[in-house]
Amino acid sequence: MFKMEEIYLAGGCLWGVQAFIKTIPGVHKTEAGRANGNSDSLENQYDGYSECVKITFDSQTLTVESLMTYLFEIIDPYSINKQGEDIGEKYRTGVYSKNKKHLEAAQHFIDIRDDADQIAVEVCLLTNYLRSAEEHQDRLDKFPNDYCHIPDMLLKKYRKV
């Protein structure tokens, strides 16, 4: 029996984050979107939003801590508003959830690191979410040669066969 839960992870351009995250065993569904912005419309999708991936996962197979380990494989956790060649507030790293236990687990993951005070990954309650337009969903599956800040070897590391 599955126990499905949702969490939202931001790690730079959502195309690569979605392509990577959906390969992880225990992840059942991903959706490209934007988290915690200041408007309720895709027309203003960059108004304070962070590009993120909505993740539906089986919490009996996958923990928030293990999702954080995967996230830290593909980001520079010390970089502020920048991942790879992507620069700006919308590319900040973060963990968002409506489940306070998810946020506590993510914060604990960060806190136990020796350099926790230098880590720039925000951990916040999800206040709003906008699903990205269809052209951004599974973008790297549709256009595998599009730009991605995540090295190809990592994108293929957990790919389901």
mmCIF file of all heavy atoms in Angstrom, residues 84-118:
data_model
loop_
_atom_site.group_PDB
_atom_site.id
_atom_site.type_symbol
_atom_site.label_atom_id
_atom_site.label_comp_id
_atom_site.label_asym_id
_atom_site.label_seq_id
_atom_site.Cartn_x
_atom_site.Cartn_y
_atom_site.Cartn_z
ATOM 1 N N GLY A 84 23.872 27.059 -11.625
ATOM 2 C CA GLY A 84 24.420 26.980 -12.980
ATOM 3 C C GLY A 84 24.448 28.369 -13.596
ATOM 4 O O GLY A 84 24.879 29.340 -12.968
ATOM 5 N N GLU A 85 23.960 28.453 -14.824
ATOM 6 C CA GLU A 85 23.916 29.745 -15.523
ATOM 7 C C GLU A 85 22.634 30.523 -15.229
ATOM 8 O O GLU A 85 22.434 31.619 -15.750
ATOM 9 C CB GLU A 85 24.045 29.522 -17.037
ATOM 10 C CG GLU A 85 25.357 28.867 -17.445
ATOM 11 C CD GLU A 85 26.561 29.710 -17.051
ATOM 12 O OE1 GLU A 85 26.555 30.928 -17.279
ATOM 13 O OE2 GLU A 85 27.518 29.129 -16.504
ATOM 14 N N ASP A 86 21.766 29.951 -14.422
ATOM 15 C CA ASP A 86 20.491 30.586 -14.086
ATOM 16 C C ASP A 86 20.686 31.535 -12.913
ATOM 17 O O ASP A 86 21.100 31.124 -11.830
ATOM 18 C CB ASP A 86 19.453 29.520 -13.705
ATOM 19 C CG ASP A 86 19.231 28.516 -14.816
ATOM 20 O OD1 ASP A 86 19.130 28.946 -15.976
ATOM 21 O OD2 ASP A 86 19.173 27.312 -14.522
ATOM 22 N N ILE A 87 20.372 32.807 -13.140
ATOM 23 C CA ILE A 87 20.596 33.821 -12.117
ATOM 24 C C ILE A 87 19.304 34.601 -11.901
ATOM 25 O O ILE A 87 18.635 34.993 -12.851
ATOM 26 C CB ILE A 87 21.720 34.791 -12.539
ATOM 27 C CG1 ILE A 87 23.021 34.014 -12.746
ATOM 28 C CG2 ILE A 87 21.899 35.899 -11.500
ATOM 29 C CD1 ILE A 87 24.136 34.823 -13.371
ATOM 30 N N GLY A 88 18.959 34.827 -10.652
ATOM 31 C CA GLY A 88 17.786 35.612 -10.296
ATOM 32 C C GLY A 88 17.002 34.954 -9.179
ATOM 33 O O GLY A 88 17.148 33.761 -8.899
ATOM 34 N N GLU A 89 16.157 35.739 -8.546
ATOM 35 C CA GLU A 89 15.376 35.263 -7.406
ATOM 36 C C GLU A 89 14.563 34.014 -7.723
ATOM 37 O O GLU A 89 14.410 33.135 -6.888
ATOM 38 C CB GLU A 89 14.445 36.388 -6.925
ATOM 39 C CG GLU A 89 13.607 36.012 -5.730
ATOM 40 C CD GLU A 89 12.618 37.097 -5.328
ATOM 41 O OE1 GLU A 89 12.160 37.863 -6.201
ATOM 42 O OE2 GLU A 89 12.308 37.157 -4.131
ATOM 43 N N LYS A 90 14.062 33.915 -8.941
ATOM 44 C CA LYS A 90 13.223 32.764 -9.298
ATOM 45 C C LYS A 90 14.019 31.453 -9.322
ATOM 46 O O LYS A 90 13.430 30.385 -9.336
ATOM 47 C CB LYS A 90 12.530 32.990 -10.638
ATOM 48 C CG LYS A 90 13.459 32.998 -11.839
ATOM 49 C CD LYS A 90 12.687 33.270 -13.105
ATOM 50 C CE LYS A 90 13.601 33.292 -14.301
ATOM 51 N NZ LYS A 90 12.844 33.460 -15.536
ATOM 52 N N TYR A 91 15.349 31.533 -9.306
ATOM 53 C CA TYR A 91 16.185 30.332 -9.315
ATOM 54 C C TYR A 91 16.744 29.991 -7.929
ATOM 55 O O TYR A 91 17.632 29.169 -7.801
ATOM 56 C CB TYR A 91 17.324 30.489 -10.316
ATOM 57 C CG TYR A 91 16.832 30.657 -11.726
ATOM 58 C CD1 TYR A 91 17.092 31.812 -12.445
ATOM 59 C CD2 TYR A 91 16.077 29.661 -12.340
ATOM 60 C CE1 TYR A 91 16.630 31.971 -13.739
ATOM 61 C CE2 TYR A 91 15.605 29.815 -13.637
ATOM 62 C CZ TYR A 91 15.886 30.975 -14.321
ATOM 63 O OH TYR A 91 15.418 31.125 -15.605
ATOM 64 N N ARG A 92 16.195 30.614 -6.902
ATOM 65 C CA ARG A 92 16.648 30.297 -5.547
ATOM 66 C C ARG A 92 16.281 28.854 -5.203
ATOM 67 O O ARG A 92 15.367 28.279 -5.781
ATOM 68 C CB ARG A 92 16.065 31.275 -4.532
ATOM 69 C CG ARG A 92 14.572 31.151 -4.285
ATOM 70 C CD ARG A 92 14.102 32.310 -3.404
ATOM 71 N NE ARG A 92 12.692 32.239 -3.073
ATOM 72 C CZ ARG A 92 11.716 32.710 -3.841
ATOM 73 N NH1 ARG A 92 11.991 33.275 -5.010
ATOM 74 N NH2 ARG A 92 10.457 32.619 -3.442
ATOM 75 N N THR A 93 17.018 28.306 -4.255
ATOM 76 C CA THR A 93 16.757 26.939 -3.832
ATOM 77 C C THR A 93 15.819 26.951 -2.632
ATOM 78 O O THR A 93 15.850 27.870 -1.811
ATOM 79 C CB THR A 93 18.066 26.228 -3.454
ATOM 80 O OG1 THR A 93 18.761 27.004 -2.492
ATOM 81 C CG2 THR A 93 18.936 26.022 -4.688
ATOM 82 N N GLY A 94 14.971 25.919 -2.574
ATOM 83 C CA GLY A 94 14.036 25.890 -1.458
ATOM 84 C C GLY A 94 13.294 24.576 -1.324
ATOM 85 O O GLY A 94 13.267 23.748 -2.235
ATOM 86 N N VAL A 95 12.703 24.442 -0.158
ATOM 87 C CA VAL A 95 11.829 23.318 0.164
ATOM 88 C C VAL A 95 10.546 23.943 0.686
ATOM 89 O O VAL A 95 10.581 24.756 1.616
ATOM 90 C CB VAL A 95 12.439 22.419 1.255
ATOM 91 C CG1 VAL A 95 11.496 21.279 1.598
ATOM 92 C CG2 VAL A 95 13.801 21.908 0.821
ATOM 93 N N TYR A 96 9.417 23.555 0.090
ATOM 94 C CA TYR A 96 8.125 24.120 0.452
ATOM 95 C C TYR A 96 7.148 22.982 0.701
ATOM 96 O O TYR A 96 7.162 21.974 -0.006
ATOM 97 C CB TYR A 96 7.597 25.022 -0.667
ATOM 98 C CG TYR A 96 8.639 25.994 -1.165
ATOM 99 C CD1 TYR A 96 9.346 25.736 -2.332
ATOM 100 C CD2 TYR A 96 8.934 27.150 -0.459
ATOM 101 C CE1 TYR A 96 10.326 26.611 -2.786
ATOM 102 C CE2 TYR A 96 9.908 28.028 -0.899
ATOM 103 C CZ TYR A 96 10.606 27.752 -2.072
ATOM 104 O OH TYR A 96 11.569 28.612 -2.505
ATOM 105 N N SER A 97 6.302 23.161 1.692
ATOM 106 C CA SER A 97 5.310 22.134 1.993
ATOM 107 C C SER A 97 4.208 22.739 2.843
ATOM 108 O O SER A 97 4.409 23.751 3.516
ATOM 109 C CB SER A 97 5.958 20.961 2.729
ATOM 110 O OG SER A 97 5.014 19.944 2.987
ATOM 111 N N LYS A 98 3.057 22.099 2.813
ATOM 112 C CA LYS A 98 1.971 22.440 3.735
ATOM 113 C C LYS A 98 2.056 21.569 4.984
ATOM 114 O O LYS A 98 1.358 21.794 5.949
ATOM 115 C CB LYS A 98 0.624 22.238 3.045
ATOM 116 C CG LYS A 98 0.396 23.194 1.899
ATOM 117 C CD LYS A 98 -0.936 22.943 1.227
ATOM 118 C CE LYS A 98 -1.105 23.896 0.057
ATOM 119 N NZ LYS A 98 -2.355 23.674 -0.651
ATOM 120 N N ASN A 99 2.940 20.578 4.937
ATOM 121 C CA ASN A 99 3.125 19.626 6.029
ATOM 122 C C ASN A 99 4.311 20.093 6.887
ATOM 123 O O ASN A 99 5.458 20.055 6.437
ATOM 124 C CB ASN A 99 3.383 18.235 5.442
ATOM 125 C CG ASN A 99 3.531 17.163 6.483
ATOM 126 O OD1 ASN A 99 4.035 17.393 7.578
ATOM 127 N ND2 ASN A 99 3.118 15.958 6.124
ATOM 128 N N LYS A 100 4.036 20.517 8.102
ATOM 129 C CA LYS A 100 5.097 21.047 8.971
ATOM 130 C C LYS A 100 6.153 19.996 9.298
ATOM 131 O O LYS A 100 7.317 20.330 9.483
ATOM 132 C CB LYS A 100 4.499 21.641 10.236
ATOM 133 C CG LYS A 100 3.736 22.922 9.952
ATOM 134 C CD LYS A 100 3.235 23.583 11.201
ATOM 135 C CE LYS A 100 2.493 24.865 10.801
ATOM 136 N NZ LYS A 100 1.985 25.586 11.937
ATOM 137 N N LYS A 101 5.788 18.722 9.326
ATOM 138 C CA LYS A 101 6.770 17.668 9.587
ATOM 139 C C LYS A 101 7.774 17.569 8.437
ATOM 140 O O LYS A 101 8.949 17.299 8.667
ATOM 141 C CB LYS A 101 6.082 16.327 9.830
ATOM 142 C CG LYS A 101 5.365 16.293 11.150
ATOM 143 C CD LYS A 101 4.787 14.947 11.451
ATOM 144 C CE LYS A 101 4.101 15.016 12.809
ATOM 145 N NZ LYS A 101 3.592 13.745 13.249
ATOM 146 N N HIS A 102 7.324 17.819 7.214
ATOM 147 C CA HIS A 102 8.249 17.853 6.075
ATOM 148 C C HIS A 102 9.266 18.969 6.265
ATOM 149 O O HIS A 102 10.462 18.795 6.024
ATOM 150 C CB HIS A 102 7.504 18.090 4.765
ATOM 151 C CG HIS A 102 6.679 16.942 4.313
ATOM 152 N ND1 HIS A 102 5.828 17.050 3.245
ATOM 153 C CD2 HIS A 102 6.560 15.668 4.748
ATOM 154 C CE1 HIS A 102 5.233 15.894 3.044
ATOM 155 N NE2 HIS A 102 5.658 15.034 3.957
ATOM 156 N N LEU A 103 8.774 20.136 6.670
ATOM 157 C CA LEU A 103 9.658 21.288 6.846
ATOM 158 C C LEU A 103 10.641 21.061 7.993
ATOM 159 O O LEU A 103 11.813 21.418 7.879
ATOM 160 C CB LEU A 103 8.831 22.555 7.078
ATOM 161 C CG LEU A 103 7.882 22.932 5.931
ATOM 162 C CD1 LEU A 103 7.052 24.152 6.321
ATOM 163 C CD2 LEU A 103 8.630 23.161 4.641
ATOM 164 N N GLU A 104 10.171 20.453 9.061
ATOM 165 C CA GLU A 104 11.060 20.143 10.184
ATOM 166 C C GLU A 104 12.150 19.160 9.755
ATOM 167 O O GLU A 104 13.323 19.331 10.119
ATOM 168 C CB GLU A 104 10.258 19.557 11.348
ATOM 169 C CG GLU A 104 9.368 20.577 12.034
ATOM 170 C CD GLU A 104 8.355 19.956 12.989
ATOM 171 O OE1 GLU A 104 8.368 18.710 13.191
ATOM 172 O OE2 GLU A 104 7.547 20.724 13.545
ATOM 173 N N ALA A 105 11.785 18.152 8.966
ATOM 174 C CA ALA A 105 12.774 17.174 8.492
ATOM 175 C C ALA A 105 13.791 17.833 7.561
ATOM 176 O O ALA A 105 14.993 17.566 7.657
ATOM 177 C CB ALA A 105 12.076 16.018 7.781
ATOM 178 N N ALA A 106 13.322 18.706 6.672
ATOM 179 C CA ALA A 106 14.226 19.405 5.757
ATOM 180 C C ALA A 106 15.167 20.319 6.534
ATOM 181 O O ALA A 106 16.371 20.361 6.261
ATOM 182 C CB ALA A 106 13.420 20.207 4.731
ATOM 183 N N GLN A 107 14.629 21.042 7.503
ATOM 184 C CA GLN A 107 15.465 21.941 8.299
ATOM 185 C C GLN A 107 16.475 21.149 9.128
ATOM 186 O O GLN A 107 17.636 21.548 9.249
ATOM 187 C CB GLN A 107 14.603 22.820 9.206
ATOM 188 C CG GLN A 107 15.385 23.923 9.875
ATOM 189 C CD GLN A 107 16.003 24.885 8.873
ATOM 190 O OE1 GLN A 107 15.320 25.459 8.033
ATOM 191 N NE2 GLN A 107 17.312 25.062 8.941
ATOM 192 N N HIS A 108 16.064 20.015 9.656
ATOM 193 C CA HIS A 108 16.986 19.166 10.422
ATOM 194 C C HIS A 108 18.124 18.678 9.523
ATOM 195 O O HIS A 108 19.289 18.659 9.942
ATOM 196 C CB HIS A 108 16.244 17.980 11.040
ATOM 197 C CG HIS A 108 17.136 17.046 11.784
ATOM 198 N ND1 HIS A 108 17.711 17.372 12.992
ATOM 199 C CD2 HIS A 108 17.589 15.808 11.481
ATOM 200 C CE1 HIS A 108 18.462 16.371 13.399
ATOM 201 N NE2 HIS A 108 18.412 15.409 12.509
ATOM 202 N N PHE A 109 17.788 18.285 8.290
ATOM 203 C CA PHE A 109 18.800 17.850 7.322
ATOM 204 C C PHE A 109 19.863 18.940 7.149
ATOM 205 O O PHE A 109 21.064 18.661 7.116
ATOM 206 C CB PHE A 109 18.137 17.527 5.985
ATOM 207 C CG PHE A 109 19.092 17.120 4.899
ATOM 208 C CD1 PHE A 109 19.427 15.788 4.717
ATOM 209 C CD2 PHE A 109 19.658 18.070 4.050
ATOM 210 C CE1 PHE A 109 20.316 15.403 3.724
ATOM 211 C CE2 PHE A 109 20.540 17.699 3.046
ATOM 212 C CZ PHE A 109 20.867 16.360 2.886
ATOM 213 N N ILE A 110 19.413 20.178 7.046
ATOM 214 C CA ILE A 110 20.337 21.312 6.891
ATOM 215 C C ILE A 110 21.100 21.568 8.191
ATOM 216 O O ILE A 110 22.324 21.746 8.187
ATOM 217 C CB ILE A 110 19.575 22.575 6.437
ATOM 218 C CG1 ILE A 110 19.061 22.374 5.004
ATOM 219 C CG2 ILE A 110 20.447 23.821 6.546
ATOM 220 C CD1 ILE A 110 18.074 23.423 4.538
ATOM 221 N N ASP A 111 20.394 21.552 9.307
ATOM 222 C CA ASP A 111 21.000 21.908 10.598
ATOM 223 C C ASP A 111 22.130 20.979 11.024
ATOM 224 O O ASP A 111 23.044 21.417 11.725
ATOM 225 C CB ASP A 111 19.936 21.933 11.699
ATOM 226 C CG ASP A 111 18.986 23.108 11.565
ATOM 227 O OD1 ASP A 111 19.298 24.054 10.809
ATOM 228 O OD2 ASP A 111 17.922 23.070 12.214
ATOM 229 N N ILE A 112 22.082 19.718 10.624
ATOM 230 C CA ILE A 112 23.120 18.787 11.082
ATOM 231 C C ILE A 112 24.405 18.881 10.263
ATOM 232 O O ILE A 112 25.395 18.220 10.584
ATOM 233 C CB ILE A 112 22.615 17.328 11.112
ATOM 234 C CG1 ILE A 112 22.222 16.842 9.719
ATOM 235 C CG2 ILE A 112 21.471 17.178 12.103
ATOM 236 C CD1 ILE A 112 21.874 15.359 9.653
ATOM 237 N N ARG A 113 24.426 19.722 9.265
ATOM 238 C CA ARG A 113 25.641 19.929 8.488
ATOM 239 C C ARG A 113 26.569 20.883 9.241
ATOM 240 O O ARG A 113 26.111 21.829 9.886
ATOM 241 C CB ARG A 113 25.297 20.490 7.126
ATOM 242 C CG ARG A 113 24.285 19.549 6.474
ATOM 243 C CD ARG A 113 24.440 19.200 5.112
ATOM 244 N NE ARG A 113 24.072 17.915 4.647
ATOM 245 C CZ ARG A 113 23.363 16.943 5.207
ATOM 246 N NH1 ARG A 113 22.902 17.064 6.401
ATOM 247 N NH2 ARG A 113 23.105 15.815 4.601
ATOM 248 N N ASP A 114 27.855 20.652 9.133
ATOM 249 C CA ASP A 114 28.837 21.493 9.826
ATOM 250 C C ASP A 114 28.747 22.954 9.413
ATOM 251 O O ASP A 114 29.030 23.847 10.197
ATOM 252 C CB ASP A 114 30.263 20.997 9.545
ATOM 253 C CG ASP A 114 30.549 19.683 10.238
ATOM 254 O OD1 ASP A 114 29.867 19.374 11.235
ATOM 255 O OD2 ASP A 114 31.453 18.968 9.790
ATOM 256 N N ASP A 115 28.351 23.170 8.183
ATOM 257 C CA ASP A 115 28.306 24.527 7.645
ATOM 258 C C ASP A 115 26.871 25.012 7.453
ATOM 259 O O ASP A 115 26.582 25.794 6.556
ATOM 260 C CB ASP A 115 29.074 24.587 6.331
ATOM 261 C CG ASP A 115 28.588 23.532 5.338
ATOM 262 O OD1 ASP A 115 27.694 22.719 5.676
ATOM 263 O OD2 ASP A 115 29.097 23.507 4.210
ATOM 264 N N ALA A 116 25.969 24.575 8.309
ATOM 265 C CA ALA A 116 24.546 24.892 8.173
ATOM 266 C C ALA A 116 24.280 26.386 8.080
ATOM 267 O O ALA A 116 23.375 26.810 7.356
ATOM 268 C CB ALA A 116 23.753 24.293 9.334
ATOM 269 N N ASP A 117 25.068 27.191 8.773
ATOM 270 C CA ASP A 117 24.847 28.636 8.761
ATOM 271 C C ASP A 117 25.176 29.269 7.411
ATOM 272 O O ASP A 117 24.811 30.411 7.162
ATOM 273 C CB ASP A 117 25.644 29.314 9.873
ATOM 274 C CG ASP A 117 27.140 29.113 9.748
ATOM 275 O OD1 ASP A 117 27.567 28.057 9.235
ATOM 276 O OD2 ASP A 117 27.883 30.007 10.178
ATOM 277 N N GLN A 118 25.828 28.538 6.526
ATOM 278 C CA GLN A 118 26.166 29.062 5.201
ATOM 279 C C GLN A 118 25.230 28.550 4.106
ATOM 280 O O GLN A 118 25.291 29.015 2.972
ATOM 281 C CB GLN A 118 27.602 28.698 4.854
ATOM 282 C CG GLN A 118 28.607 29.312 5.802
ATOM 283 C CD GLN A 118 30.008 28.788 5.556
ATOM 284 O OE1 GLN A 118 30.333 28.281 4.494
ATOM 285 N NE2 GLN A 118 30.851 28.902 6.558
#
